[in-house]
């Protein structure tokens, strides 16, 4: 009974404290603070959703808006490449199958660690054209003049993404490099000259190119081929300048093949254009052909031109075969006769 009386007294005391005016004001303040915290949280969440929605209209690579494209074309940053790009990669014997790997190779931008609340998830069709031109070995400075990639930051009070979308301010355009614009003017000027009627003096251009290359003692003639191939096939494996078998072949933007030494000499002396079609060409545009073509070229059988040999060797192993002849000559120690009749070893 005594214990029950003590418990009842404690309950009465707690009820009296709860009914105190100071305690009532504190509870009222706490109740008023709860909706304020909820409103602040809802405002920040709404701003983050608006920021993420604005990111969906921007290109991940160049920062441009999809609204500038009348067709509203865009491509996902993550995932497999589209069918057209896949066919081009298979044609060029490239192994990249996903967009992150391909974008890292073309633009040097790693998109694998992107966050959806900070980085856009798509890129524009203009950057897609840059990828296509890069795979086709065509000049793409006119499409993507930006030197450095766009830096994306989390949402803040001075956010460029949300500020530009609310105020309607146009995004700043990158100023073209004067050297690149000069190169583009040269490209367009050369392309216009191609359409014009050729000068009759260009008939002797091939002989002039052969004189400039002067590689008769260095490169192999097509006459040493062991098989009588069709003329079109022989033309496809021979240099367009010296008409010898391709040695260290390179491919131009206009898809013509030359020996590296021959084309570099001609570009230095004659000018920056292709000797075959006069399309603008620069040393930086020269690339190596696809591996399957190089495998076919190296597997062609040729007849050794050394006397008393006449052995058929693959073109890829011809240098090794020729070095064996030189080793034999050094071992045997041939005796040569000079003009005075005195022999020397």
């Amino acid at each position: 009974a005594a214990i029950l009386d003590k418990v009842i007294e404690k309950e009465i005391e707690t009820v009296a404290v709860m009914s105190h005016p100071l305690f009532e004001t504190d509870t009222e303040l706490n109740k008023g603070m709860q909706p304020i915290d909820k409103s602040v949280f809802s405002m920040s969440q709404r701003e983050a959703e608006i920021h993420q929605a604005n990111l969906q209209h921007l290109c991940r690579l160049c920062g441009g808006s999809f609204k500038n494209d009348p067709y509203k074309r865009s491509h996902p940053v993550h995932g497999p490449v589209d069918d057209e790009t896949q066919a081009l990669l298979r044609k060029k014997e490239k192994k990249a199958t996903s967009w992150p790997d391909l974008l890292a190779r073309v633009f040097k931008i790693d998109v694998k660690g992107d966050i959806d609340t900070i980085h856009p998830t798509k890129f524009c069709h203009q950057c897609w054209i840059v990828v296509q031109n890069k795979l086709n070995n065509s000049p793409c400075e006119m499409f993507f003049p930006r030197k450095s990639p766009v830096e994306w930051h989390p949402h803040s009070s001075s956010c460029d993404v949300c500020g530009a979308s609310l105020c309607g301010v146009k995004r700043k355009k990158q100023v073209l490099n004067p050297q690149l614009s000069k190169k583009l003017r040269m490209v367009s000027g050369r392309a216009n000259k191609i359409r014009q009627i050729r000068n009759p003096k260009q008939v002797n251009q091939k002989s002039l190119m052969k004189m400039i290359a002067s590689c008769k003692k260095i490169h192999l003639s097509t006459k040493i081929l062991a098989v009588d191939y069709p003329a079109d096939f022989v033309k496809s494996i021979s240099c367009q300048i010296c008409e010898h078998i391709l040695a260290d072949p390179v491919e131009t933007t206009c898809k013509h093949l030359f020996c590296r030494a021959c084309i570099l000499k001609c570009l230095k002396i004659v000018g920056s254009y292709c000797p075959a079609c006069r399309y603008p060409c620069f040393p930086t545009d020269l690339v190596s052909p696809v591996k399957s073509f190089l495998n076919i070229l190296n597997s062609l059988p040729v007849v050794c031109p050394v006397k008393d040999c006449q052995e058929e060797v693959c073109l890829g192993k011809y240098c090794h075969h020729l070095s064996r002849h030189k080793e034999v000559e050094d071992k045997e120690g041939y005796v040569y006769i000079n003009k005075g009749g005195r022999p020397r070893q």
Side-chain angles (χ1 to χ4, degrees):
I3 293 170
L4 287 173
D5 293 338
K6 290 181 180 180
V7 170
I8 292 168
E9 289 177 359
K10 288 182 180 180
E11 288 181 353
I12 292 169
E13 289 176 359
T14 54
V15 170
V17 171
M18 291 289 289
S19 62
H20 198 272
L22 290 174
F23 188 82
E24 290 179 356
T25 54
D26 291 341
T27 54
E28 288 176 359
L29 288 172
N30 291 332
K31 289 180 181 178
M33 287 293 291
Q34 288 178 358
I36 293 172
D37 293 337
K38 289 181 179 179
S39 63
V40 171
F41 178 74
S42 61
M43 283 288 292
S44 61
Q45 188 176 6
R46 194 181 302 117
E47 288 180 0
E49 291 176 355
I50 294 171
H51 176 77
Q52 193 168 357
N54 292 332
L55 287 176
Q56 300 302 319
H57 299 288
L58 299 178
C59 175
R60 167 66 178 86
L61 305 174
C62 66
S65 177
F66 298 145
K67 297 177 182 178
N68 298 330
D69 187 4
Y71 300 101
K72 304 293 187 295
R73 293 168 294 185
S74 62
H75 306 272
V77 173
H78 302 281
V81 298
D82 55 293
D83 296 337
E84 188 175 351
T85 309
Q86 184 66 38
L88 186 59
L89 287 169
R90 194 179 297 111
K91 189 176 180 181
K92 292 292 182 179
E93 297 181 349
K94 305 291 184 181
K95 293 182 179 181
T97 56
S98 61
W99 279 121
D101 297 337
L102 194 59
L103 295 177
R105 183 178 299 180
V106 176
F107 296 102
K108 311 298 182 187
I109 299 175
D110 186 14
V111 298
K112 292 181 179 179
D114 285 4
I115 304 172
D116 294 343
T117 56
I118 301 176
H119 303 90
T121 57
K122 297 179 181 180
F123 63 96
C124 63
H125 190 70
Q126 202 72 11
C127 294
W128 182 84
I129 294 174
V130 174
V131 175
Q132 299 288 320
N133 291 335
K134 190 71 175 178
L135 295 175
N136 284 322
N137 301 326
S138 58
C140 55
E141 291 88 354
M142 60 187 301
F143 298 110
F144 196 78
R146 189 183 296 277
K147 289 183 178 180
S148 59
V150 183
E151 294 183 0
W152 301 97
H153 303 283
H155 177 66
S156 61
S157 58
S158 60
C159 180
D160 295 335
V161 176
C162 299
S165 61
L166 291 174
C167 302
V169 180
K170 293 184 178 179
R171 298 180 69 83
K172 294 181 180 180
K173 294 184 178 179
Q174 188 75 12
V175 181
L176 285 173
N177 192 344
Q179 293 181 355
L180 295 178
S181 59
K182 182 180 178 181
K183 181 179 178 180
L184 294 175
R185 286 198 301 270
M186 292 176 64
V187 169
S188 59
R190 295 289 186 184
N192 292 330
K193 288 182 180 180
I194 293 171
R195 300 175 184 175
Q196 300 175 359
I197 301 173
R198 292 186 176 182
N199 195 343
K201 293 181 180 179
Q202 294 179 357
V203 177
N204 298 325
Q205 186 179 7
K206 278 194 174 182
S207 59
L208 176 63
M209 295 290 180
K210 286 183 181 180
M211 289 176 61
I212 292 172
S214 63
C215 58
K216 192 173 183 180
K217 297 180 180 180
I218 305 172
H219 297 159
L220 299 175
S221 174
T222 55
K223 295 179 181 179
I224 68 169
L225 290 171
V227 183
D228 188 13
Y229 292 108
D232 293 335
F233 179 78
V234 175
K235 188 177 180 181
S236 65
I237 61 167
S238 58
C239 176
Q240 298 285 325
I241 296 174
C242 63
E243 296 181 351
H244 295 151
I245 299 175
L246 287 166
D248 191 10
V250 291
E251 184 180 356
T252 59
T253 308
C254 49
K255 307 298 180 184
H256 290 112
L257 293 171
F258 303 93
C259 302
R260 186 182 294 273
C262 298
I263 185 67
L264 290 177
K265 286 180 182 179
C266 291
L267 292 178
K268 186 177 181 180
I269 296 174
V270 179
S272 299
Y273 60 87
C274 175
C277 63
R278 300 186 68 82
Y279 187 80
C281 178
F282 299 89
T284 54
D285 299 332
L286 303 176
V287 294
S288 180
V290 293
K291 292 182 181 178
S292 56
F293 176 81
L294 295 176
N295 294 334
I296 294 171
L297 183 66
N298 291 327
S299 63
L300 292 175
V302 295
V303 179
C304 180
V306 179
K307 292 181 180 180
D308 301 331
C309 182
Q310 301 299 317
E311 184 180 348
E312 290 188 8
V313 190
C314 294
L315 185 61
K317 299 179 181 179
Y318 176 76
C319 293
H320 179 67
H321 177 77
L322 197 62
S323 63
R324 279 174 23 188
H325 281 295
K326 291 182 179 179
E327 289 177 1
V328 171
E329 289 179 0
D330 294 339
K331 288 180 181 179
E332 291 180 357
Y334 286 97
V335 177
Y336 296 95
I337 306 298
N338 59 9
K339 291 182 179 180
R342 181 180 296 174
R344 66 177 181 179
Q345 190 169 353

